[in-house]
Amino acid sequence: MNHFDVAVIGSGPSGASTAFHLAKKGISTVIIEKETLPRYKTCGGGFVFRGRKDLPFDITDVVEKEFRTIDIYLGEKLHFKTEREDPTISMIMRDSFDNLITEKAKEFGATLLENHKLTKINFEDDLIILETSQGKLSANFVIAADGALSPTAKLAGWKEDTRKLIPALEYEIEVSDEDFKRLSKEVRFDIDAIPYGYAWSFPKKKHLSIGVASARRTKINLKKFYKEYLTTLGISDIVSESQHGFQIPVSPRTDGFVKNNVFLIGDAAGFADPITAEGISNAIYSGKLAAEAIIESNQEKDLAGKLYVEKIENQLLPEIKTGLWLSKWFYEQKTIRNLLLKKYGQRFSEAMADVFHGNRSYPTDIKKTIKNKIKELVF
Ligand SMILES: Cc1cc2nc3c(=O)[nH]c(=O)nc-3n(C[C@H](O)[C@H](O)[C@H](O)COP(=O)(O)OP(=O)(O)OC[C@H]3O[C@@H](n4cnc5c(N)ncnc54)[C@H](O)[C@@H]3O)c2cc1C
């Protein structure tokens, strides 16, 4: 049976980036991936600049388009535009993007076992034994980077799923040349195009990634709102269309991120941004933090787990927790929110652009700020 210091389950941005940082330090690392790479992943493929800054290599080859200007719409009347020097959002397709990070990890010696589905985890003495669809292997640490469904978390003993998972639909569509020319000029977010959520139009090289997500778990006919959104965008002619539905975990687990030397990162941990549901940048960041913890502890098991939790608590959770509060208010208090956006929409959009660039996080005194702004409006 082969043995590795670290086994990473999943080759998405979280797993591939952990493997990259570990392999670079000479730690023997295996990535176990159930699909054959490159593989399609349901995602808008909007990669914000703070995530791009966090990757220690160039990704130009897999960037389909870059947008320095972002357009946020609220209904037909309100439209806010922000502009930055660096690309606020880089458009990527996840098959080539995830594959690139995995290839970078392999360059430093990480082993990729694709077409290997993790099926069972056993804890024996001081080792973790992993059973896959193609045989067994052992590891000292396991990184669960296997996304929103995270079978690893279940197999490793997380009994309940304490994350909030929201539904999202993504369509890859080809439109007429005329529509593509018109729509490929802007990356746009439409707040309220769907109840308790937003719709997006993300232009790729030759097609559009259009999607809808709702912050409520209640049954909402996502497809109906997608169709309505096509009308908003003025699309009547669809040349080709493929539909992909999935869930996005927009709140962190409340029952821990480490158990028996198994670390949860990315969507498996519930680290997507609660307001935008943007998950790639925190997936990469949490992967880096997990790798740092293992490296800094010299692979001492208890210390590595402690360091990872400390890093998450200090460097990631405060922003997500504020985001959670803000997202509840943003999506549930529509009337007050829209009144505030009417007055402060440009300021809000600038703040979001700064968050996308990693130049600021959500302000921790946000509750107070919003209360004061409401008072200003009402009295
Ligand atoms: C419709 C939609 C649109 C989105 N749009 C955006 C966006 O525009 N920008 C953004 O930043 N985020 C977006 N997200 C969120 C983003 O896709 C996720 O946050 C991100 O993919 C999380 O990365 P990850 O590495 O944690 O997991 P994933 O990317 O899900 O990777 C998990 C990997 O684990 C593998 N795996 C699963 N089970 C097993 C198993 N048993 N054995 C072996 N391997 C396994 C999978 O095949 C996969 O490769 C969107 C999500 C959805 C659903």
Side-chain angles (χ1 to χ4, degrees), residues 9-16 32-35 37 39 41-48 94 98 116-119 144-148 150-152 155 166 168-170 198 200 202 211-212 244-249 265-268 272 276-281 283:
I9 319 300
S11 67
S14 63
I32 297 171
E33 169 58 55
K34 70 178 164 109
E35 307 285 342
L37 301 188
R39 54 95 185 92
K41 156 79 176 83
T42 302
C43 185
F47 184 36
V48 298
R94 290 288 303 277
D98 294 9
H116 280 60
K117 183 178 179 179
L118 180 77
T119 53
D146 50 351
S150 192
T152 308
L155 294 169
I166 64 164
L169 260 193
E170 166 74 25
Y198 74 92
W200 62 88
F202 288 178
V212 287
H244 310 270
F246 205 50
Q247 305 188 63
I248 314 176
I265 62 172
D267 274 6
T276 61
E278 175 268 311
I280 304 172
S281 64

Side-chain angles (χ1 to χ4, degrees), residues 58-317:
D58 184 38
I59 59 157
T60 314
D61 282 355
V62 297
V63 172
E64 304 238 327
K65 276 183 189 297
E66 288 177 340
F67 288 90
R68 287 164 173 76
T69 306
I70 299 296
D71 292 85
I72 301 181
Y73 291 81
L74 178 66
E76 282 173 16
K77 290 198 184 121
L78 291 181
H79 174 199
F80 310 102
K81 225 179 192 17
T82 61
E83 206 162 345
R84 294 289 183 277
E85 225 169 86
D86 292 312
T88 305
I89 302 192
S90 306
M91 290 297 156
I92 46 139
M93 288 304 288
R94 290 288 303 277
D95 48 3
S96 43
F97 177 75
D98 294 9
N99 194 44
L100 172 78
I101 310 178
T102 305
E103 285 300 317
K104 293 287 176 192
K106 280 165 69 183
E107 278 171 24
F108 281 108
T111 302
L112 169 68
L113 296 179
E114 50 193 334
N115 205 9
H116 280 60
K117 183 178 179 179
L118 180 77
T119 53
K120 210 169 172 192
I121 300 180
N122 290 313
F123 298 95
E124 286 178 18
D125 302 323
D126 215 15
L127 283 184
I128 306 174
I129 312 294
L130 299 168
E131 287 185 30
T132 78
S133 50
Q134 297 201 52
K136 283 188 188 184
L137 55 94
S138 65
N140 298 333
F141 295 95
V142 167
I143 308 291
D146 50 351
L149 303 179
S150 192
T152 308
K154 282 180 209 135
L155 294 169
W158 272 267
K159 295 220 161 42
E160 271 178 72
D161 196 338
T162 52
R163 297 167 302 168
K164 177 185 177 190
L165 291 136
I166 64 164
L169 260 193
E170 166 74 25
Y171 289 80
E172 310 291 356
I173 71 169
E174 282 180 80
V175 293
S176 67
D177 289 347
E178 200 183 305
D179 280 348
F180 187 68
K181 210 169 159 198
R182 181 172 57 83
L183 292 165
S184 60
K185 288 190 189 119
E186 65 175 12
V187 52
R188 66 182 275 174
F189 298 89
D190 285 77
I191 301 165
D192 273 357
I194 173 166
Y196 314 104
Y198 74 92
W200 62 88
S201 171
F202 288 178
K204 302 292 167 61
K205 250 185 206 150
K206 291 188 180 147
H207 76 280
L208 302 171
S209 295
I210 293 185
V212 287
S214 171
R216 272 221 177 161
R217 277 190 285 190
T218 45
K219 253 203 159 22
I220 285 180
N221 188 342
L222 297 175
K223 196 167 179 172
K224 169 178 165 271
F225 290 102
Y226 160 71
K227 294 271 178 214
E228 285 178 13
Y229 189 49
L230 292 184
T231 309
T232 305
L233 296 175
I235 298 172
S236 51
D237 231 9
I238 293 175
V239 179
S240 74
E241 178 185 68
S242 62
Q243 178 192 312
H244 310 270
F246 205 50
Q247 305 188 63
I248 314 176
V250 290
S251 77
R253 289 186 192 260
T254 55
D255 53 350
F257 303 105
V258 179
K259 258 189 221 309
N260 296 320
N261 308 318
V262 177
F263 295 25
L264 305 183
I265 62 172
D267 274 6
F271 290 155
D273 183 297
I275 301 172
T276 61
E278 175 268 311
I280 304 172
S281 64
N282 278 348
I284 289 169
Y285 189 54
S286 57
K288 187 169 98 172
L289 295 182
E292 276 175 10
I294 292 174
I295 294 160
E296 285 166 19
S297 71
N298 286 323
Q299 300 186 53
E300 207 187 290
K301 289 175 180 166
D302 289 346
L303 181 60
K306 190 171 157 271
L307 284 176
Y308 178 57
V309 172
E310 270 174 25
K311 284 171 188 286
I312 292 295
E313 279 176 355
N314 294 331
Q315 298 172 49
L316 197 55
L317 290 184

